Amino acid sequence: MAKRFKPAIFRTLGICASLLAGIVSPSAGAAEQWFEAFKASADDRDLYRFLYALPKGGDLHNHLTGSNFSEWWYQLATNKKLNGGYEYYTRVRIDNCAGYGHDMFGMAPYLMYFRNLQASSYQALSDCEKGEYKKIDALDPGEKTAWMNSLRLDKKHEGREEFFQTHWQRLNDLGRNPYINAEMLVKNMQAFAREGLSYLETMEGTRFYTRPDGSAFTPDEVADIFRKRLAQSDAVATGVTARMQYYLLRFIGNAEEDLEWIYRFVNKNRDLFVGINMVGREDNDKGYPLRFLPTLRKLRRDIPGIPLAIHAGEVDEPNHHVRDTLLLGASRIGHGVNLISDPDTMLLMRNSDYLVEINLISNLLLDYVDDYSQHPFPEYLRMGIPVALSTDDRGMWDSNMTDEYFVAVKEFNLSWEELTSLARNSLQHSFADDETKRALLQDYETRLEQFKKRFQRHGSAALDDVVPRSHGFICKHYKLCEFSTPVMAAN
């Protein structure tokens, strides 16, 4: 008798647990029906407005310097009051000068327009090289447009190589100003708040920052600059909770030493940094995951565990990097595109505490999929692997979080339960402390219920006052251009 009734008891307990967790409600069927009816009748414009207004959770896979729109870069590069008093120059011509500089990612190509230098770096150039550069605030309209386009993927032929090998090298000194990056963090919080997000977990570091005279900030000084900016009233007013992951460039020669330093720094600054992330091209074999296993095991002997969210599976070839990343101790996988080729690891991740951070726009623009019919996202979602949408380097894609949601709903016909699970997952799998996480989840459920009741009461008329701010991606790829406006200082 016990065996016969055990499955029924387990099913009942499972339903009760789901109700308590807020994942299923007695009106779930009704919610499904109204959303399905809306999808069936809505055009792309209404669907986008709906998704822009929809309460969302967090962005867990966000590179800070890659998330800033070109217009923001221009504003801060030319506004000394906001950028800490720096002055910037950019290369506008090539005069075949013999020398060229270096940056933290290695030697930059000489034949590269719009490489950015702060005044102290510019003054160190030869006279020939100085003739190649122009103050950014002195660019003519054509040069200004070209400069802004140089920091985003705006042409069909641009893809992976343009992104990995030129964008970061062009930014150069702009990315080494802590005041600019702290200001950019708040700009991202303000923009995400308008889209209904409540949490941001961005990737950044505290080293390699320089003062206007070229001398170095200490890591502690940079951390305090971020803390001070996040405490200001306009940042607090966004309602967005911001935390940081410290990035490790995985393929450099001394990456193990870097990991040790980062691990100890994060341990001392857990109020600001909640995790560590290994970044960099996975097709550079020097960054293979198991390289770091001995170092992590040594660190975990003496230091309380630090959450890991590591890029894995962002590569064309089938391999076991996702599995190996889990062995490192990661609880979140960034991208995970080739996880689909590793069925054993997929089975391991089903109904688990491991999350895959899905970056739909990034994977398309960097050619990891040719079109969305090849993307494994719906397979992961519908076989029970926890997933959440994220924006990756949205400034360079010229996109936002609503674009990610729009692609997901339009290309994969998400149900209401699937759609809302993405936001819940992003909060449940965040690295925020338990108290913060509970508050974020409660706030999300409250906002979601209010949104649902308003829409069910008023239908599409509930969207009449919704004015989305979209960007280049959704216009170019879906011809939805009426919401696209330049991202200016007001953003």
Side-chain angles (χ1 to χ4, degrees):
M1 292 292 291
K3 288 185 178 179
R4 183 167 35 172
F5 286 105
K6 188 174 182 180
I9 292 171
F10 277 8
R11 284 195 297 271
T12 301
L13 289 174
I15 292 170
C16 291
S18 295
L19 287 168
L20 289 172
I23 297 172
V24 177
S25 70
S27 60
E32 176 80 13
Q33 292 171 11
W34 71 259
F35 184 61
E36 293 302 316
F38 169 72
K39 285 192 299 179
S41 62
D43 59 16
D44 284 354
R45 179 179 180 274
D46 284 339
L47 178 60
Y48 194 89
R49 292 167 67 217
F50 178 93
L51 294 173
Y52 189 87
L54 176 74
K56 306 173 187 69
D59 191 358
L60 302 183
H61 190 111
N62 175 288
H63 298 267
L64 181 57
T65 49
S67 295
N68 304 315
F69 296 103
S70 298
E71 290 81 2
W72 292 353
W73 283 116
Y74 182 84
Q75 182 209 8
L76 292 176
T78 58
N79 188 328
K80 290 184 179 181
K81 291 182 179 179
L82 293 177
N83 73 21
Y86 294 68
E87 186 173 67
Y88 290 98
Y89 295 75
T90 192
R91 180 185 277 136
V92 296
R93 54 187 293 176
I94 304 292
D95 288 336
N96 295 316
C97 302
Y100 49 92
H102 296 71
D103 65 14
M104 62 182 286
F105 295 99
M107 193 175 293
Y110 173 68
L111 299 175
M112 179 187 288
Y113 286 94
F114 303 116
R115 180 165 160 81
N116 300 294
L117 301 177
Q118 63 183 54
S120 61
S121 300
Y122 170 80
Q123 293 301 332
L125 298 177
S126 66
D127 289 341
C128 178
E129 290 175 298
K130 286 179 180 177
E132 299 176 327
Y133 285 79
K134 192 173 183 179
K135 286 185 180 180
I136 293 179
D137 59 7
L139 297 176
D140 64 37
E143 291 169 335
K144 179 181 175 182
T145 297
W147 183 90
M148 289 196 289
N149 286 340
S150 75
L151 299 176
R152 54 192 169 207
L153 293 178
D154 67 313
K155 299 178 179 63
K156 287 186 177 180
H157 68 270
E158 294 178 339
R160 199 179 307 177
E161 294 305 311
E162 175 76 6
F163 171 71
F164 282 115
Q165 302 304 129
T166 68
H167 278 169
W168 308 99
Q169 291 86 341
R170 284 195 184 107
L171 280 175
N172 196 36
D173 284 352
L174 281 174
R176 298 175 185 160
N177 180 332
Y179 300 105
I180 283 182
N181 278 0
E183 195 68 30
M184 291 286 197
L185 176 54
V186 175
K187 284 182 174 292
N188 273 279
M189 292 164 64
Q190 291 168 336
F192 278 134
R194 286 191 293 272
E195 291 188 81
L197 275 76
S198 59
Y199 183 73
L200 172 59
E201 203 170 284
T202 191
M203 288 171 252
E204 190 47 55
T206 58
R207 297 176 297 172
F208 314 114
Y209 285 96
T210 55
R211 302 179 189 276
D213 64 3
S215 61
F217 284 94
T218 68
D220 288 333
E221 287 173 329
V222 173
D224 285 340
I225 288 171
F226 280 115
R227 287 188 181 97
K228 182 178 179 180
R229 187 66 186 91
L230 288 171
Q232 291 180 11
S233 59
D234 59 339
V236 175
T238 66
V240 174
T241 299
R243 298 290 186 269
M244 302 175 78
Q245 300 173 58
Y246 207 114
Y247 73 86
L248 169 73
L249 195 59
R250 63 199 302 162
F251 53 73
I252 60 176
N254 65 338
E256 291 90 348
E257 296 174 20
D258 253 17
L259 177 57
E260 286 204 43
W261 186 93
I262 290 168
Y263 208 93
R264 297 182 191 282
F265 184 84
V266 169
N267 184 47
K268 294 177 181 178
N269 294 273
R270 290 181 185 247
D271 63 312
L272 184 62
F273 288 94
V274 293
I276 296 173
N277 205 310
M278 294 181 189
V279 307
R281 296 187 69 157
E282 286 186 66
D283 54 11
N284 184 330
D285 292 339
K286 294 184 183 298
Y288 69 97
L290 291 184
R291 170 184 176 182
F292 302 98
L293 185 56
T295 303
L296 284 166
R297 284 178 170 171
K298 180 178 72 172
L299 290 164
R300 286 194 285 253
R301 290 190 192 106
D302 303 317
I303 300 173
I306 292 174
L308 302 176
I310 302 175
H311 290 55
E314 189 189 17
V315 69
D316 298 308
E317 64 173 341
N319 60 32
H320 295 289
H321 281 187
V322 173
R323 180 198 65 190
D324 294 345
T325 298
L326 297 179
L327 183 59
L328 295 184
S331 55
R332 297 205 316 249
I333 301 298
H335 296 284
V337 179
N338 79 350
L339 171 62
I340 195 73
S341 65
D342 186 357
D344 289 340
T345 305
M346 286 184 69
L347 288 172
L348 173 67
M349 295 179 71
R350 285 194 70 204
N351 306 310
S352 71
D353 289 329
Y354 301 120
L355 177 94
V356 180
E357 302 158 351
I358 298 292
N359 304 283
L360 294 170
I361 293 171
S362 173
N363 297 155
L364 181 72
L365 296 185
L366 298 187
D367 302 317
Y368 292 108
V369 295
D370 295 326
D371 58 66
Y372 284 120
S373 67
Q374 299 175 352
H375 205 287
F377 162 65
E379 183 69 5
Y380 301 163
L381 173 70
R382 287 162 179 161
M383 72 172 291
I385 295 175
V387 290
L389 298 178
S390 46
T391 64
D392 201 13
D393 295 280
R394 73 193 192 101
M396 295 178 178
W397 319 146
D398 210 16
S399 65
N400 60 20
M401 182 63 88
T402 302
D403 294 356
E404 301 283 346
Y405 273 70
F406 181 87
V407 171
V409 174
K410 187 170 179 64
E411 300 290 344
F412 307 116
N413 190 31
L414 300 190
S415 69
W416 177 252
E417 286 73 21
E418 290 171 337
L419 177 65
T420 55
S421 74
L422 300 172
R424 289 190 185 94
N425 284 343
S426 70
L427 298 175
Q428 289 167 343
H429 292 265
S430 74
F431 293 154
D433 63 88
D434 289 343
E435 183 179 352
T436 299
K437 194 180 298 188
R438 283 193 295 269
L440 289 168
L441 283 164
Q442 183 177 358
D443 172 71
Y444 170 72
E445 296 298 345
T446 299
R447 290 187 296 122
L448 184 67
E449 186 65 19
Q450 291 171 347
F451 173 86
K452 184 174 70 173
K453 286 181 177 178
R454 182 185 178 197
F455 194 87
Q456 289 177 321
R457 186 180 303 117
H458 301 289
S460 295
L463 304 175
D464 287 348
D465 59 349
V466 177
V467 183
R469 299 188 190 185
S470 65
H471 312 293
F473 174 84
I474 208 73
C475 177
K476 292 176 183 177
H477 290 265
Y478 291 93
K479 309 304 179 186
L480 190 55
C481 303
E482 66 180 282
F483 304 128
S484 298
T485 56
V487 186
M488 302 309 291
N491 271 15

